[in-house]
Amino acid sequence: MKKRKVPMRKSVVSGEMKPKKELVRITRSKEGVVSIDPSGKMPGRGAYVALEPKEVQDAWDKHILDRVLETTLTDEFYQELLDYVEHQKARKELFGNG
């Protein structure tokens, strides 16, 4: 059986290349609306962050996503992202790769 290629993406916080499934995509639409993209297929400028709460906290503290997406993000958005990452990490630990 032929081995499938695993899509790799770079985290904007750590700069590490990781499999796409281990990252969460944040998008900025043409209208300037920033949102979490769980499917990874929304249109717009995208940035990837690892599913690690510490990495999201670093992005929040240094406002890395603000610079990468060329916009100003609220603390509420960063909190929502942190909650989402913690939830996804807990799911991954409970259910494995599912």
Side-chain angles (χ1 to χ4, degrees):
M1 191 168 192
K2 194 174 181 181
K3 231 171 100 171
R4 299 187 84 184
K5 186 177 150 198
V6 177
M8 302 289 280
R9 298 290 183 268
K10 184 186 265 190
S11 168
V12 294
V13 179
S14 67
E16 288 181 59
M17 293 294 283
K18 294 188 175 192
K20 190 175 174 182
K21 288 190 176 203
E22 293 179 19
L23 301 165
V24 61
R25 184 171 186 249
I26 292 82
T27 58
R28 179 183 50 101
S29 68
K30 286 183 180 178
E31 294 78 35
V33 179
V34 177
S35 57
I36 298 169
D37 180 9
S39 68
K41 297 178 181 177
M42 288 173 71
R45 176 99 170 101
Y48 289 88
V49 178
L51 285 173
E52 289 294 329
K54 184 184 179 314
E55 199 163 301
V56 174
Q57 191 63 53
D58 286 350
W60 191 352
D61 294 341
K62 299 174 185 172
H63 293 281
I64 293 170
L65 291 173
D66 293 39
R67 284 195 304 269
V68 172
L69 296 174
E70 299 170 351
T71 187
T72 304
L73 299 174
T74 63
D75 285 345
E76 289 82 23
F77 177 81
Y78 277 110
Q79 187 60 53
E80 180 186 346
L81 178 61
L82 186 61
D83 294 342
Y84 176 82
V85 167
E86 288 172 345
H87 176 76
Q88 291 300 320
K89 186 173 179 170
R91 277 187 57 143
K92 201 168 210 166
E93 288 171 1
L94 276 177
F95 303 116
N97 289 342

